[in-house]
Amino acid sequence: DHVINYEAGFKADFLNHHLSFDIDGFHVNWTGVQLQLRTDQGLEYTADAGKAGSSGFEGNIAYAPVEGLILRASGTYIDSQLQRDIVSGSNYGLKGDALPYSPPWKVALSGDYKRPITGDWAAFVGASYFYTGQVSAEFATDPTVPRIHFPSYDTVDARLGVTRRNWTMSLIAKNLFDVTATTDRRH
């Protein structure tokens, strides 16, 4: 395959480095794309999907309103799709169809607070929220079999702990609300 990338962005900080952000936009031309395809019997194989493209933007912002507190937000939007039909005798993988397993939206929000407690000891607490948009599975080679779509999902993580010089001891809770997300048709 062959990829040509175009990207432009901007970074800045304000308020005596208490607020910073970066944003960029991109476009990718991808030729000779190799994708996993699925037969109606459930067999998967790799095939030449021709040409695809991705366009989008991503950004990050960080804000420290008071000493020890940092708030962050980041997000990505990607429109990844076939730029021509997959060449075959069937009618699947058409120009404009979303590429497999490429969520259009991903968002992350987090907040962390760190405070000195004594000497060179400090305590911290924080939480993060993650959102992943709907994705589509691989293309089926049988045009009568509908393409599988997996719903969007969101998770929350939390953490707390102490630091001293070059080491950290922490308690981390991943997926705090036990969200079950389907990210692959095999699971």
Side-chain angles (χ1 to χ4, degrees):
D1 63 349
H2 182 74
V3 175
I4 298 177
N5 255 340
Y6 304 93
E7 185 172 358
F10 180 75
K11 280 185 173 185
D13 64 62
F14 302 96
L15 305 174
N16 199 25
H17 306 291
H18 287 273
L19 175 67
S20 63
F21 75 91
D22 62 84
I23 188 167
D24 68 84
F26 57 88
H27 177 75
V28 178
N29 286 325
W30 189 13
T31 55
V33 178
Q34 301 292 304
L35 292 179
Q36 288 294 114
L37 302 178
R38 181 175 41 88
T39 68
D40 54 338
Q41 293 84 23
L43 299 173
E44 292 183 14
Y45 64 95
T46 303
D48 182 7
K51 189 174 178 182
S54 293
S55 295
F57 63 86
E58 57 190 356
N60 300 288
I61 187 167
Y63 180 51
V66 295
E67 186 175 341
L69 177 64
I70 299 177
L71 305 172
R72 292 183 178 92
S74 64
T76 303
Y77 172 76
I78 301 175
D79 179 18
S80 296
Q81 55 184 256
L82 291 173
Q83 291 182 339
R84 70 177 186 213
D85 297 349
I86 295 176
V87 178
S88 74
S90 301
N91 202 14
Y92 68 93
L94 303 177
K95 180 179 178 178
D97 286 349
L99 292 180
Y101 302 106
S102 178
W105 286 100
K106 287 190 101 172
V107 175
L109 306 172
S110 70
D112 290 283
Y113 182 68
K114 184 175 181 180
R115 180 179 175 105
I117 47 178
T118 183
D120 49 357
W121 287 84
F124 65 90
V125 63
S128 300
Y129 165 81
F130 304 97
Y131 170 82
T132 301
Q134 175 183 300
V135 298
S136 300
E138 61 274 333
F139 297 105
T141 58
D142 181 346
T144 64
V145 175
R147 191 169 182 200
I148 298 170
H149 302 282
F150 302 112
S152 62
Y153 65 94
D154 42 9
T155 59
V156 174
D157 297 348
R159 59 204 158 270
L160 62 91
V162 293
T163 63
R164 182 171 186 256
R165 294 187 190 143
N166 294 332
W167 66 269
T168 300
M169 184 171 58
S170 59
L171 178 62
I172 300 169
K174 295 277 198 180
N175 193 8
L176 197 59
F177 300 109
D178 197 26
V179 172
T180 301
T182 304
T183 59
D184 188 308
R185 68 175 184 78
R186 294 173 291 232
H187 300 108

